[in-house]
Amino acid sequence: MTDHPGYDARKDDFLRRLRRIEGQARGLQRMVDEDKYCIDILTQVSAMTSALESVALGLLDDHLHHCVVGAAAAGGPEAEQKLAEASAAIARLVRS
Protein backbone atom coordinates (compact mmCIF):
# COMPACT_ATOMS: atom_id res chain seq x y z
CA MET A 1 0.00 0.00 0.00
CA THR A 2 1.23 3.51 -0.79
CA ASP A 3 1.82 6.19 1.80
CA HIS A 4 -0.37 8.85 0.17
CA PRO A 5 -4.14 9.16 0.60
CA GLY A 6 -6.49 7.74 -2.00
CA TYR A 7 -7.83 11.20 -2.80
CA ASP A 8 -4.36 12.53 -3.62
CA ALA A 9 -5.09 12.86 -7.35
CA ARG A 10 -8.27 14.85 -6.65
CA LYS A 11 -7.00 16.81 -3.64
CA ASP A 12 -7.16 20.21 -5.37
CA ASP A 13 -10.73 19.53 -6.48
CA PHE A 14 -11.78 18.54 -2.96
CA LEU A 15 -10.09 21.62 -1.48
CA ARG A 16 -11.81 23.87 -4.02
CA ARG A 17 -15.19 22.35 -3.18
CA LEU A 18 -14.57 22.63 0.56
CA ARG A 19 -13.63 26.31 0.21
CA ARG A 20 -16.89 26.84 -1.69
CA ILE A 21 -18.78 25.09 1.14
CA GLU A 22 -16.97 27.28 3.66
CA GLY A 23 -18.23 30.32 1.74
CA GLN A 24 -21.75 28.88 1.79
CA ALA A 25 -21.52 28.52 5.58
CA ARG A 26 -20.47 32.16 5.93
CA GLY A 27 -23.35 33.12 3.65
CA LEU A 28 -25.77 31.19 5.85
CA GLN A 29 -24.48 32.97 8.93
CA ARG A 30 -24.95 36.29 7.18
CA MET A 31 -28.50 35.35 6.12
CA VAL A 32 -29.44 34.50 9.70
CA ASP A 33 -27.75 37.63 11.01
CA GLU A 34 -29.69 39.72 8.47
CA ASP A 35 -33.01 38.03 9.36
CA LYS A 36 -33.58 36.61 5.88
CA TYR A 37 -36.68 34.59 5.05
CA CYS A 38 -36.66 31.09 6.63
CA ILE A 39 -37.31 29.23 3.39
CA ASP A 40 -34.45 31.03 1.66
CA ILE A 41 -32.10 29.96 4.47
CA LEU A 42 -33.38 26.38 4.34
CA THR A 43 -32.82 26.31 0.59
CA GLN A 44 -29.19 27.32 1.14
CA VAL A 45 -28.81 24.73 3.93
CA SER A 46 -30.05 22.09 1.50
CA ALA A 47 -27.54 23.22 -1.14
CA MET A 48 -24.72 23.11 1.40
CA THR A 49 -25.78 19.66 2.60
CA SER A 50 -25.76 18.38 -0.98
CA ALA A 51 -22.31 19.84 -1.53
CA LEU A 52 -20.96 18.15 1.61
CA GLU A 53 -22.54 14.85 0.60
CA SER A 54 -20.89 15.14 -2.80
CA VAL A 55 -17.48 15.61 -1.18
CA ALA A 56 -18.13 12.71 1.19
CA LEU A 57 -19.12 10.39 -1.65
CA GLY A 58 -16.06 11.38 -3.66
CA LEU A 59 -13.78 10.69 -0.70
CA LEU A 60 -15.52 7.37 -0.07
CA ASP A 61 -15.15 6.37 -3.71
CA ASP A 62 -11.44 7.20 -3.64
CA HIS A 63 -11.05 5.31 -0.35
CA LEU A 64 -12.71 2.22 -1.79
CA HIS A 65 -10.66 2.29 -4.98
CA HIS A 66 -7.36 3.01 -3.28
CA CYS A 67 -7.21 1.92 0.34
CA VAL A 68 -9.73 -0.90 0.36
CA VAL A 69 -8.69 -2.43 -2.97
CA GLY A 70 -5.02 -2.21 -1.96
CA ALA A 71 -5.66 -3.82 1.41
CA ALA A 72 -7.87 -6.52 -0.12
CA ALA A 73 -5.15 -7.37 -2.64
CA ALA A 74 -2.62 -7.67 0.21
CA GLY A 75 -5.06 -9.75 2.29
CA GLY A 76 -4.79 -10.45 5.98
CA PRO A 77 -6.12 -8.48 8.93
CA GLU A 78 -5.58 -5.10 7.24
CA ALA A 79 -8.07 -6.09 4.54
CA GLU A 80 -10.71 -6.88 7.15
CA GLN A 81 -9.98 -3.62 8.95
CA LYS A 82 -10.31 -1.52 5.78
CA LEU A 83 -13.57 -3.23 4.85
CA ALA A 84 -14.94 -2.63 8.36
CA GLU A 85 -13.88 1.03 8.20
CA ALA A 86 -15.56 1.46 4.82
CA SER A 87 -18.77 -0.19 6.06
CA ALA A 88 -18.83 2.05 9.13
CA ALA A 89 -18.25 5.16 6.99
CA ILE A 90 -21.10 4.16 4.68
CA ALA A 91 -23.38 3.60 7.67
CA ARG A 92 -22.53 7.06 9.02
CA LEU A 93 -23.27 8.66 5.65
CA VAL A 94 -26.60 6.84 5.34
CA ARG A 95 -27.65 7.91 8.86
CA SER A 96 -26.76 11.56 8.29
Side-chain angles (χ1 to χ4, degrees), residues 10-21:
R10 296 173 44 188
K11 183 176 180 176
D12 289 340
D13 180 48
F14 285 126
L15 287 172
R16 191 172 24 263
R17 292 161 116 191
L18 289 167
R19 282 190 288 274
R20 193 174 317 126
I21 292 166

Side-chain angles (χ1 to χ4, degrees), residues 9-83:
R10 296 173 44 188
K11 183 176 180 176
D12 289 340
D13 180 48
F14 285 126
L15 287 172
R16 191 172 24 263
R17 292 161 116 191
L18 289 167
R19 282 190 288 274
R20 193 174 317 126
I21 292 166
E22 183 180 22
Q24 286 177 298
R26 283 192 302 272
L28 281 168
Q29 292 171 358
R30 191 170 35 257
M31 289 177 80
V32 171
D33 186 51
E34 294 172 359
D35 300 319
K36 298 295 181 183
Y37 185 54
C38 301
I39 296 301
D40 293 339
I41 296 170
L42 290 170
T43 299
Q44 292 306 309
V45 168
S46 178
M48 190 173 159
T49 301
S50 293
L52 280 169
E53 288 173 351
S54 176
V55 169
L57 290 173
L59 287 168
L60 178 62
D61 185 62
D62 287 350
H63 178 69
L64 291 173
H65 285 93
H66 179 264
C67 300
V68 175
V69 168
E78 184 180 0
E80 291 298 321
Q81 176 192 1
K82 294 296 181 189
L83 287 170

